[in-house]
Amino acid sequence: MKQLYIVTPETYTWDQYDSIMVLAESKEEAIKMGEDFFDGEEDFLPQGKVSAELVDMTKGGIVHTSFNAG
């Protein structure tokens, strides 16, 4: 069963994504998606190690926000 993960790079800068949300079968699959996504940003700084956090679907509230002043 696919689950929802928030995937984040170790570092980021202006004009780079700081996170993505993915549906994946496992944490490892979510991280692989993030590595492919974040490393695909040519002409930008490397974003380092990618991590994934499982979203708890049993609790209500805000799932994800992202704010990068530019």
Side-chain angles (χ1 to χ4, degrees):
M1 180 173 93
K2 294 196 184 289
Q3 296 180 318
L4 187 61
Y5 292 87
I6 297 175
V7 183
T8 56
E10 186 174 35
T11 60
Y12 58 89
T13 187
W14 304 114
D15 296 329
Q16 287 185 310
Y17 292 96
D18 65 355
S19 60
I20 58 174
M21 293 187 78
V22 302
L23 286 173
E25 294 285 339
S26 67
K27 183 176 184 175
E28 293 77 18
E29 182 183 10
I31 289 171
K32 176 67 175 142
M33 288 179 190
E35 288 172 343
D36 291 345
F37 184 85
F38 295 119
D39 289 343
E41 295 186 14
E42 296 180 18
D43 301 327
F44 291 100
L45 297 173
Q47 292 186 270
K49 183 179 176 184
V50 175
S51 62
E53 178 182 348
L54 180 63
V55 175
D56 184 350
M57 302 293 283
T58 64
K59 297 181 180 179
I62 296 169
V63 175
H64 181 68
T65 63
S66 177
F67 178 79
N68 294 303

Short mmCIF file of all heavy atoms in Angstrom, two decimals:
data_model
loop_
_atom_site.label_atom_id
_atom_site.label_comp_id
_atom_site.label_asym_id
_atom_site.label_seq_id
_atom_site.Cartn_x
_atom_site.Cartn_y
_atom_site.Cartn_z
N MET A 1 0.84 -1.18 0.00
CA MET A 1 0.00 0.00 0.00
C MET A 1 0.89 1.25 0.00
O MET A 1 1.83 1.34 0.78
CB MET A 1 -0.90 -0.01 1.23
CG MET A 1 -1.80 1.20 1.29
SD MET A 1 -3.00 1.10 2.63
CE MET A 1 -2.12 1.95 3.92
N LYS A 2 0.57 2.16 -0.85
CA LYS A 2 1.33 3.40 -0.90
C LYS A 2 0.99 4.27 0.30
O LYS A 2 -0.14 4.29 0.78
CB LYS A 2 1.05 4.14 -2.20
CG LYS A 2 1.55 3.37 -3.42
CD LYS A 2 1.61 4.28 -4.61
CE LYS A 2 2.00 3.52 -5.84
NZ LYS A 2 3.37 3.09 -5.89
N GLN A 3 2.01 4.99 0.78
CA GLN A 3 1.83 5.92 1.89
C GLN A 3 2.40 7.28 1.48
O GLN A 3 3.20 7.38 0.56
CB GLN A 3 2.54 5.39 3.13
CG GLN A 3 1.93 4.08 3.61
CD GLN A 3 2.63 3.56 4.86
OE1 GLN A 3 3.83 3.60 4.97
NE2 GLN A 3 1.83 3.07 5.79
N LEU A 4 1.99 8.31 2.22
CA LEU A 4 2.41 9.67 1.92
C LEU A 4 3.66 10.02 2.73
O LEU A 4 3.69 9.82 3.94
CB LEU A 4 1.28 10.64 2.27
CG LEU A 4 1.46 12.09 1.88
CD1 LEU A 4 1.61 12.26 0.38
CD2 LEU A 4 0.28 12.92 2.38
N TYR A 5 4.69 10.54 2.03
CA TYR A 5 5.94 10.93 2.67
C TYR A 5 6.29 12.37 2.31
O TYR A 5 6.04 12.81 1.19
CB TYR A 5 7.10 10.05 2.19
CG TYR A 5 7.03 8.62 2.64
CD1 TYR A 5 6.34 7.67 1.92
CD2 TYR A 5 7.68 8.22 3.81
CE1 TYR A 5 6.29 6.35 2.33
CE2 TYR A 5 7.62 6.90 4.24
CZ TYR A 5 6.92 5.97 3.49
OH TYR A 5 6.87 4.67 3.91
N ILE A 6 6.87 13.09 3.26
CA ILE A 6 7.49 14.39 2.99
C ILE A 6 8.98 14.12 2.82
O ILE A 6 9.61 13.57 3.72
CB ILE A 6 7.24 15.40 4.13
CG1 ILE A 6 5.75 15.68 4.28
CG2 ILE A 6 8.02 16.70 3.85
CD1 ILE A 6 5.40 16.55 5.46
N VAL A 7 9.51 14.49 1.68
CA VAL A 7 10.90 14.23 1.35
C VAL A 7 11.65 15.56 1.30
O VAL A 7 11.20 16.50 0.64
CB VAL A 7 11.01 13.49 0.00
CG1 VAL A 7 12.44 13.15 -0.32
CG2 VAL A 7 10.15 12.23 0.01
N THR A 8 12.78 15.64 2.01
CA THR A 8 13.53 16.88 2.09
C THR A 8 15.02 16.66 1.83
O THR A 8 15.57 15.64 2.23
CB THR A 8 13.38 17.53 3.48
OG1 THR A 8 13.78 16.60 4.48
CG2 THR A 8 11.95 17.96 3.74
N PRO A 9 15.67 17.63 1.18
CA PRO A 9 17.11 17.55 1.00
C PRO A 9 17.81 18.11 2.24
O PRO A 9 17.20 18.86 3.02
CB PRO A 9 17.37 18.43 -0.22
CG PRO A 9 16.31 19.48 -0.12
CD PRO A 9 15.11 18.78 0.46
N GLU A 10 19.06 17.78 2.38
CA GLU A 10 19.86 18.27 3.51
C GLU A 10 20.04 19.78 3.44
O GLU A 10 19.97 20.48 4.45
CB GLU A 10 21.21 17.57 3.49
CG GLU A 10 22.10 17.85 4.66
CD GLU A 10 23.35 16.99 4.61
OE1 GLU A 10 23.86 16.72 3.51
OE2 GLU A 10 23.81 16.62 5.70
N THR A 11 20.28 20.29 2.24
CA THR A 11 20.48 21.73 2.06
C THR A 11 19.75 22.20 0.80
O THR A 11 19.45 21.41 -0.08
CB THR A 11 21.98 22.07 1.88
OG1 THR A 11 22.48 21.40 0.73
CG2 THR A 11 22.78 21.69 3.10
N TYR A 12 19.48 23.49 0.75
CA TYR A 12 18.89 24.10 -0.44
C TYR A 12 19.18 25.59 -0.40
O TYR A 12 19.59 26.13 0.63
CB TYR A 12 17.38 23.83 -0.52
CG TYR A 12 16.61 24.32 0.69
CD1 TYR A 12 16.12 25.61 0.75
CD2 TYR A 12 16.43 23.50 1.79
CE1 TYR A 12 15.45 26.08 1.86
CE2 TYR A 12 15.75 23.95 2.91
CZ TYR A 12 15.25 25.24 2.93
OH TYR A 12 14.60 25.69 4.05
N THR A 13 18.98 26.24 -1.52
CA THR A 13 19.22 27.67 -1.61
C THR A 13 18.09 28.29 -2.43
O THR A 13 17.10 27.63 -2.74
CB THR A 13 20.62 27.95 -2.21
OG1 THR A 13 20.89 29.35 -2.13
CG2 THR A 13 20.73 27.47 -3.64
N TRP A 14 18.24 29.55 -2.80
CA TRP A 14 17.23 30.23 -3.60
C TRP A 14 16.94 29.44 -4.87
O TRP A 14 17.83 28.84 -5.45
CB TRP A 14 17.67 31.64 -3.99
CG TRP A 14 18.03 32.49 -2.83
CD1 TRP A 14 19.27 32.99 -2.53
CD2 TRP A 14 17.18 32.95 -1.79
NE1 TRP A 14 19.24 33.71 -1.38
CE2 TRP A 14 17.94 33.71 -0.89
CE3 TRP A 14 15.83 32.79 -1.51
CZ2 TRP A 14 17.42 34.30 0.24
CZ3 TRP A 14 15.31 33.39 -0.37
CH2 TRP A 14 16.10 34.14 0.47
N ASP A 15 15.71 29.48 -5.29
CA ASP A 15 15.28 28.84 -6.54
C ASP A 15 15.49 27.33 -6.56
O ASP A 15 15.69 26.75 -7.62
CB ASP A 15 15.98 29.49 -7.74
CG ASP A 15 15.61 30.95 -7.90
OD1 ASP A 15 14.47 31.32 -7.55
OD2 ASP A 15 16.44 31.73 -8.38
N GLN A 16 15.50 26.72 -5.40
CA GLN A 16 15.53 25.26 -5.30
C GLN A 16 14.38 24.82 -4.41
O GLN A 16 13.98 25.54 -3.49
CB GLN A 16 16.85 24.76 -4.71
CG GLN A 16 18.02 24.86 -5.65
CD GLN A 16 19.27 24.24 -5.05
OE1 GLN A 16 19.63 24.53 -3.92
NE2 GLN A 16 19.92 23.39 -5.82
N TYR A 17 13.88 23.64 -4.65
CA TYR A 17 12.83 23.09 -3.80
C TYR A 17 13.43 22.71 -2.44
O TYR A 17 14.55 22.23 -2.38
CB TYR A 17 12.21 21.85 -4.44
CG TYR A 17 11.42 22.16 -5.68
CD1 TYR A 17 11.99 22.04 -6.94
CD2 TYR A 17 10.10 22.59 -5.59
CE1 TYR A 17 11.26 22.33 -8.08
CE2 TYR A 17 9.37 22.89 -6.72
CZ TYR A 17 9.95 22.74 -7.97
OH TYR A 17 9.23 23.03 -9.08
N ASP A 18 12.65 22.90 -1.38
CA ASP A 18 13.10 22.49 -0.05
C ASP A 18 12.41 21.22 0.41
O ASP A 18 12.79 20.61 1.41
CB ASP A 18 12.92 23.60 0.98
CG ASP A 18 11.46 23.95 1.23
OD1 ASP A 18 10.57 23.41 0.55
OD2 ASP A 18 11.21 24.79 2.11
N SER A 19 11.39 20.78 -0.33
CA SER A 19 10.70 19.54 0.01
C SER A 19 9.72 19.18 -1.10
O SER A 19 9.32 20.04 -1.89
CB SER A 19 9.95 19.67 1.34
OG SER A 19 9.00 20.71 1.27
N ILE A 20 9.35 17.90 -1.12
CA ILE A 20 8.29 17.43 -1.99
C ILE A 20 7.47 16.42 -1.20
O ILE A 20 7.94 15.87 -0.20
CB ILE A 20 8.83 16.77 -3.29
CG1 ILE A 20 9.75 15.59 -2.98
CG2 ILE A 20 9.52 17.81 -4.16
CD1 ILE A 20 10.19 14.81 -4.21
N MET A 21 6.25 16.19 -1.62
CA MET A 21 5.42 15.14 -1.01
C MET A 21 5.22 14.07 -2.07
O MET A 21 4.90 14.39 -3.22
CB MET A 21 4.09 15.70 -0.55
CG MET A 21 4.25 16.67 0.61
SD MET A 21 2.69 17.19 1.31
CE MET A 21 2.28 15.77 2.27
N VAL A 22 5.41 12.81 -1.68
CA VAL A 22 5.29 11.71 -2.63
C VAL A 22 4.45 10.57 -2.04
O VAL A 22 4.38 10.42 -0.82
CB VAL A 22 6.67 11.15 -3.05
CG1 VAL A 22 7.52 12.23 -3.67
CG2 VAL A 22 7.40 10.51 -1.89
N LEU A 23 3.83 9.81 -2.91
CA LEU A 23 3.19 8.56 -2.52
C LEU A 23 4.15 7.45 -2.91
O LEU A 23 4.59 7.37 -4.06
CB LEU A 23 1.87 8.37 -3.27
CG LEU A 23 0.72 9.24 -2.80
CD1 LEU A 23 -0.48 9.07 -3.72
CD2 LEU A 23 0.32 8.89 -1.37
N ALA A 24 4.52 6.62 -1.95
CA ALA A 24 5.49 5.56 -2.21
C ALA A 24 5.15 4.33 -1.37
O ALA A 24 4.47 4.42 -0.35
CB ALA A 24 6.89 6.05 -1.88
N GLU A 25 5.67 3.19 -1.82
CA GLU A 25 5.47 1.93 -1.11
C GLU A 25 6.29 1.85 0.17
O GLU A 25 5.93 1.15 1.11
CB GLU A 25 5.83 0.75 -2.01
CG GLU A 25 4.93 0.57 -3.21
CD GLU A 25 3.57 0.00 -2.87
OE1 GLU A 25 3.43 -0.63 -1.80
OE2 GLU A 25 2.65 0.18 -3.68
N SER A 26 7.43 2.58 0.21
CA SER A 26 8.33 2.51 1.36
C SER A 26 9.11 3.81 1.50
O SER A 26 9.16 4.62 0.57
CB SER A 26 9.32 1.36 1.20
OG SER A 26 10.19 1.63 0.11
N LYS A 27 9.75 3.97 2.66
CA LYS A 27 10.60 5.13 2.91
C LYS A 27 11.76 5.14 1.91
O LYS A 27 12.13 6.20 1.39
CB LYS A 27 11.13 5.08 4.34
CG LYS A 27 11.96 6.27 4.74
CD LYS A 27 12.35 6.19 6.20
CE LYS A 27 13.09 7.41 6.64
NZ LYS A 27 13.38 7.39 8.09
N GLU A 28 12.31 3.97 1.62
CA GLU A 28 13.43 3.87 0.68
C GLU A 28 13.02 4.33 -0.71
O GLU A 28 13.76 5.03 -1.40
CB GLU A 28 13.97 2.44 0.63
CG GLU A 28 14.63 1.98 1.92
CD GLU A 28 13.67 1.61 3.04
OE1 GLU A 28 12.45 1.37 2.79
OE2 GLU A 28 14.11 1.58 4.20
N GLU A 29 11.81 3.94 -1.15
CA GLU A 29 11.31 4.37 -2.46
C GLU A 29 11.10 5.89 -2.47
O GLU A 29 11.43 6.56 -3.45
CB GLU A 29 10.01 3.65 -2.81
CG GLU A 29 9.48 4.04 -4.18
CD GLU A 29 8.14 3.39 -4.52
OE1 GLU A 29 7.51 2.78 -3.64
OE2 GLU A 29 7.74 3.51 -5.68
N ALA A 30 10.59 6.44 -1.38
CA ALA A 30 10.37 7.89 -1.29
C ALA A 30 11.70 8.63 -1.37
O ALA A 30 11.81 9.65 -2.07
CB ALA A 30 9.65 8.23 0.01
N ILE A 31 12.72 8.13 -0.68
CA ILE A 31 14.04 8.76 -0.72
C ILE A 31 14.61 8.70 -2.13
O ILE A 31 15.17 9.68 -2.63
CB ILE A 31 14.99 8.12 0.31
CG1 ILE A 31 14.55 8.52 1.73
CG2 ILE A 31 16.44 8.52 0.06
CD1 ILE A 31 15.26 7.79 2.84
N LYS A 32 14.47 7.57 -2.81
CA LYS A 32 14.96 7.43 -4.18
C LYS A 32 14.28 8.45 -5.10
O LYS A 32 14.94 9.10 -5.92
CB LYS A 32 14.71 6.00 -4.68
CG LYS A 32 15.09 5.77 -6.12
CD LYS A 32 16.58 5.88 -6.34
CE LYS A 32 16.92 5.52 -7.78
NZ LYS A 32 17.98 6.34 -8.32
N MET A 33 12.97 8.63 -4.94
CA MET A 33 12.26 9.64 -5.73
C MET A 33 12.83 11.02 -5.46
O MET A 33 13.03 11.82 -6.37
CB MET A 33 10.77 9.64 -5.39
CG MET A 33 10.01 8.47 -5.88
SD MET A 33 8.28 8.65 -5.35
CE MET A 33 7.64 7.06 -5.76
N GLY A 34 13.09 11.32 -4.18
CA GLY A 34 13.65 12.61 -3.81
C GLY A 34 15.05 12.80 -4.37
O GLY A 34 15.38 13.88 -4.87
N GLU A 35 15.88 11.76 -4.31
CA GLU A 35 17.24 11.86 -4.86
C GLU A 35 17.19 12.15 -6.35
O GLU A 35 17.92 13.02 -6.84
CB GLU A 35 18.01 10.56 -4.59
CG GLU A 35 18.39 10.38 -3.15
CD GLU A 35 18.97 9.01 -2.85
OE1 GLU A 35 18.82 8.08 -3.66
OE2 GLU A 35 19.58 8.89 -1.78
N ASP A 36 16.31 11.46 -7.06
CA ASP A 36 16.17 11.70 -8.49
C ASP A 36 15.66 13.11 -8.77
O ASP A 36 16.10 13.78 -9.69
CB ASP A 36 15.21 10.68 -9.12
CG ASP A 36 15.77 9.27 -9.14
OD1 ASP A 36 17.00 9.11 -8.95
OD2 ASP A 36 14.98 8.33 -9.35
N PHE A 37 14.72 13.58 -7.95
CA PHE A 37 14.13 14.90 -8.14
C PHE A 37 15.11 16.02 -7.82
O PHE A 37 15.34 16.91 -8.63
CB PHE A 37 12.88 15.04 -7.26
CG PHE A 37 12.14 16.33 -7.47
CD1 PHE A 37 11.21 16.45 -8.47
CD2 PHE A 37 12.38 17.42 -6.64
CE1 PHE A 37 10.53 17.65 -8.67
CE2 PHE A 37 11.71 18.61 -6.83
CZ PHE A 37 10.78 18.73 -7.85
N PHE A 38 15.72 15.98 -6.64
CA PHE A 38 16.59 17.07 -6.22
C PHE A 38 17.90 17.09 -7.00
O PHE A 38 18.41 18.15 -7.32
CB PHE A 38 16.87 16.99 -4.71
CG PHE A 38 15.63 17.20 -3.88
CD1 PHE A 38 15.18 16.22 -3.02
CD2 PHE A 38 14.91 18.38 -3.95
CE1 PHE A 38 14.04 16.40 -2.24
CE2 PHE A 38 13.76 18.58 -3.20
CZ PHE A 38 13.33 17.59 -2.34
N ASP A 39 18.47 15.94 -7.31
CA ASP A 39 19.72 15.89 -8.08
C ASP A 39 19.50 16.28 -9.53
O ASP A 39 20.44 16.60 -10.24
CB ASP A 39 20.36 14.50 -8.01
CG ASP A 39 20.94 14.22 -6.64
OD1 ASP A 39 21.14 15.18 -5.87
OD2 ASP A 39 21.19 13.05 -6.35
N GLY A 40 18.25 16.27 -9.99
CA GLY A 40 17.94 16.62 -11.37
C GLY A 40 17.96 18.11 -11.64
O GLY A 40 17.78 18.54 -12.76
N GLU A 41 18.17 18.92 -10.61
CA GLU A 41 18.17 20.36 -10.78
C GLU A 41 19.56 20.82 -11.23
O GLU A 41 20.40 21.22 -10.44
CB GLU A 41 17.78 21.07 -9.48
CG GLU A 41 16.35 20.77 -9.06
CD GLU A 41 15.93 21.58 -7.85
OE1 GLU A 41 16.62 22.55 -7.50
OE2 GLU A 41 14.90 21.25 -7.28
N GLU A 42 19.78 20.76 -12.54
CA GLU A 42 21.08 21.17 -13.08
C GLU A 42 21.28 22.67 -12.88
O GLU A 42 20.34 23.43 -12.74
CB GLU A 42 21.14 20.82 -14.57
CG GLU A 42 21.08 19.32 -14.80
CD GLU A 42 21.13 18.96 -16.26
OE1 GLU A 42 21.56 19.80 -17.07
OE2 GLU A 42 20.74 17.83 -16.58
N ASP A 43 22.53 23.08 -12.87
CA ASP A 43 22.91 24.49 -12.70
C ASP A 43 22.66 25.01 -11.29
O ASP A 43 22.65 26.21 -11.06
CB ASP A 43 22.20 25.40 -13.71
CG ASP A 43 22.51 25.02 -15.13
OD1 ASP A 43 23.65 24.56 -15.40
OD2 ASP A 43 21.63 25.17 -15.99
N PHE A 44 22.40 24.12 -10.34
CA PHE A 44 22.19 24.53 -8.96
C PHE A 44 23.15 23.78 -8.06
O PHE A 44 23.75 22.78 -8.44
CB PHE A 44 20.75 24.26 -8.51
CG PHE A 44 19.74 25.14 -9.19
CD1 PHE A 44 19.00 24.66 -10.27
CD2 PHE A 44 19.54 26.44 -8.78
CE1 PHE A 44 18.08 25.47 -10.89
CE2 PHE A 44 18.62 27.25 -9.41
CZ PHE A 44 17.88 26.77 -10.47
N LEU A 45 23.27 24.22 -6.83
CA LEU A 45 24.14 23.55 -5.86
C LEU A 45 23.58 22.18 -5.51
O LEU A 45 22.36 22.00 -5.44
CB LEU A 45 24.23 24.41 -4.59
CG LEU A 45 24.86 25.78 -4.73
CD1 LEU A 45 24.72 26.55 -3.42
CD2 LEU A 45 26.31 25.66 -5.12
N PRO A 46 24.43 21.19 -5.25
CA PRO A 46 23.95 19.89 -4.78
C PRO A 46 23.17 20.06 -3.48
O PRO A 46 23.50 20.92 -2.67
CB PRO A 46 25.24 19.10 -4.55
CG PRO A 46 26.30 19.83 -5.26
CD PRO A 46 25.87 21.27 -5.34
N GLN A 47 22.15 19.26 -3.29
CA GLN A 47 21.30 19.44 -2.12
C GLN A 47 21.57 18.43 -1.02
O GLN A 47 20.86 18.39 -0.02
CB GLN A 47 19.83 19.45 -2.54
CG GLN A 47 19.52 20.71 -3.36
CD GLN A 47 18.07 20.85 -3.68
OE1 GLN A 47 17.63 20.36 -4.70
NE2 GLN A 47 17.33 21.52 -2.84
N GLY A 48 22.62 17.63 -1.15
CA GLY A 48 23.03 16.74 -0.08
C GLY A 48 22.13 15.54 0.13
O GLY A 48 21.35 15.17 -0.73
N LYS A 49 22.26 14.96 1.31
CA LYS A 49 21.50 13.76 1.67
C LYS A 49 20.00 14.06 1.69
O LYS A 49 19.58 15.11 2.16
CB LYS A 49 21.96 13.27 3.05
CG LYS A 49 21.29 12.01 3.49
CD LYS A 49 21.81 11.57 4.85
CE LYS A 49 21.06 10.34 5.31
NZ LYS A 49 21.46 9.95 6.65
N VAL A 50 19.22 13.11 1.20
CA VAL A 50 17.77 13.26 1.15
C VAL A 50 17.15 12.37 2.22
O VAL A 50 17.57 11.23 2.41
CB VAL A 50 17.24 12.87 -0.25
CG1 VAL A 50 15.72 12.90 -0.29
CG2 VAL A 50 17.82 13.81 -1.31
N SER A 51 16.15 12.89 2.93
CA SER A 51 15.46 12.10 3.95
C SER A 51 13.95 12.11 3.68
O SER A 51 13.45 12.97 2.96
CB SER A 51 15.76 12.63 5.35
OG SER A 51 15.29 13.95 5.48
N ALA A 52 13.25 11.16 4.28
CA ALA A 52 11.80 11.06 4.11
C ALA A 52 11.14 10.82 5.46
O ALA A 52 11.67 10.09 6.30
CB ALA A 52 11.46 9.93 3.15
N GLU A 53 9.99 11.44 5.64
CA GLU A 53 9.23 11.28 6.88
C GLU A 53 7.81 10.85 6.51
O GLU A 53 7.15 11.49 5.69
CB GLU A 53 9.18 12.61 7.63
CG GLU A 53 8.39 12.58 8.89
CD GLU A 53 8.33 13.95 9.59
OE1 GLU A 53 9.08 14.85 9.22
OE2 GLU A 53 7.49 14.08 10.49
N LEU A 54 7.36 9.77 7.11
CA LEU A 54 6.02 9.26 6.88
C LEU A 54 5.00 10.23 7.48
O LEU A 54 5.15 10.67 8.62
CB LEU A 54 5.87 7.88 7.52
CG LEU A 54 4.52 7.19 7.37
CD1 LEU A 54 4.21 6.92 5.91
CD2 LEU A 54 4.51 5.90 8.17
N VAL A 55 3.97 10.56 6.73
CA VAL A 55 2.90 11.43 7.22
C VAL A 55 1.88 10.57 7.96
O VAL A 55 1.39 9.57 7.43
CB VAL A 55 2.22 12.18 6.05
CG1 VAL A 55 1.04 12.99 6.54
CG2 VAL A 55 3.23 13.07 5.33
N ASP A 56 1.59 10.95 9.19
CA ASP A 56 0.61 10.23 10.01
C ASP A 56 -0.79 10.62 9.55
O ASP A 56 -1.26 11.73 9.82
CB ASP A 56 0.81 10.57 11.49
CG ASP A 56 -0.11 9.78 12.41
OD1 ASP A 56 -1.04 9.11 11.92
OD2 ASP A 56 0.12 9.84 13.63
N MET A 57 -1.46 9.72 8.86
CA MET A 57 -2.77 10.00 8.28
C MET A 57 -3.90 9.81 9.30
O MET A 57 -5.06 10.00 8.96
CB MET A 57 -3.00 9.09 7.07
CG MET A 57 -1.95 9.25 5.98
SD MET A 57 -1.99 10.85 5.17
CE MET A 57 -3.39 10.60 4.11
N THR A 58 -3.57 9.46 10.54
CA THR A 58 -4.61 9.27 11.55
C THR A 58 -4.89 10.54 12.33
O THR A 58 -5.84 10.59 13.11
CB THR A 58 -4.22 8.15 12.55
OG1 THR A 58 -3.05 8.55 13.27
CG2 THR A 58 -3.96 6.85 11.82
N LYS A 59 -4.06 11.55 12.15
CA LYS A 59 -4.23 12.81 12.88
C LYS A 59 -4.68 13.90 11.93
O LYS A 59 -4.30 13.93 10.77
CB LYS A 59 -2.91 13.22 13.54
CG LYS A 59 -2.42 12.24 14.58
CD LYS A 59 -1.15 12.70 15.20
CE LYS A 59 -0.66 11.70 16.25
NZ LYS A 59 0.59 12.12 16.86
N GLY A 60 -5.46 14.83 12.43
CA GLY A 60 -5.90 15.96 11.63
C GLY A 60 -4.91 17.10 11.75
O GLY A 60 -4.02 17.09 12.59
N GLY A 61 -5.04 18.07 10.87
CA GLY A 61 -4.20 19.25 10.95
C GLY A 61 -3.48 19.54 9.66
O GLY A 61 -3.71 18.91 8.63
N ILE A 62 -2.59 20.49 9.72
CA ILE A 62 -1.81 20.90 8.56
C ILE A 62 -0.82 19.79 8.24
O ILE A 62 -0.10 19.32 9.12
CB ILE A 62 -1.09 22.22 8.82
CG1 ILE A 62 -2.12 23.33 9.04
CG2 ILE A 62 -0.14 22.57 7.67
CD1 ILE A 62 -1.54 24.61 9.58
N VAL A 63 -0.76 19.39 6.98
CA VAL A 63 0.13 18.32 6.57
C VAL A 63 1.48 18.86 6.20
O VAL A 63 2.52 18.31 6.57
CB VAL A 63 -0.47 17.53 5.39
CG1 VAL A 63 0.51 16.50 4.87
CG2 VAL A 63 -1.77 16.86 5.81
N HIS A 64 1.52 19.97 5.45
CA HIS A 64 2.80 20.45 4.96
C HIS A 64 2.69 21.92 4.57
O HIS A 64 1.69 22.33 3.98
CB HIS A 64 3.22 19.63 3.74
CG HIS A 64 4.53 20.02 3.15
ND1 HIS A 64 5.72 19.82 3.80
CD2 HIS A 64 4.84 20.59 1.98
CE1 HIS A 64 6.71 20.24 3.03
NE2 HIS A 64 6.20 20.72 1.92
N THR A 65 3.71 22.69 4.91
CA THR A 65 3.83 24.06 4.43
C THR A 65 5.27 24.27 3.98
O THR A 65 6.18 23.55 4.41
CB THR A 65 3.50 25.10 5.53
OG1 THR A 65 4.45 24.97 6.58
CG2 THR A 65 2.09 24.92 6.05
N SER A 66 5.48 25.25 3.12
CA SER A 66 6.81 25.56 2.66
C SER A 66 6.87 27.05 2.36
O SER A 66 6.10 27.54 1.55
CB SER A 66 7.13 24.75 1.39
OG SER A 66 8.40 25.09 0.91
N PHE A 67 7.79 27.76 3.00
CA PHE A 67 7.92 29.21 2.79
C PHE A 67 9.39 29.55 2.63
O PHE A 67 10.20 29.28 3.51
CB PHE A 67 7.35 29.97 4.00
CG PHE A 67 7.49 31.46 3.87
CD1 PHE A 67 6.61 32.19 3.08
CD2 PHE A 67 8.51 32.13 4.53
CE1 PHE A 67 6.76 33.55 2.97
CE2 PHE A 67 8.65 33.49 4.42
CZ PHE A 67 7.77 34.22 3.64
N ASN A 68 9.74 30.08 1.48
CA ASN A 68 11.11 30.50 1.20
C ASN A 68 11.08 31.94 0.70
O ASN A 68 10.71 32.19 -0.44
CB ASN A 68 11.76 29.61 0.12
CG ASN A 68 11.95 28.20 0.59
OD1 ASN A 68 12.60 27.99 1.60
ND2 ASN A 68 11.39 27.25 -0.10
N ALA A 69 11.43 32.84 1.57
CA ALA A 69 11.44 34.25 1.16
C ALA A 69 12.48 34.46 0.08
O ALA A 69 13.57 33.92 0.13
CB ALA A 69 11.75 35.13 2.38
N GLY A 70 12.14 35.21 -0.92
CA GLY A 70 13.07 35.42 -2.01
C GLY A 70 12.98 36.79 -2.46
O GLY A 70 13.56 37.46 -3.12
#
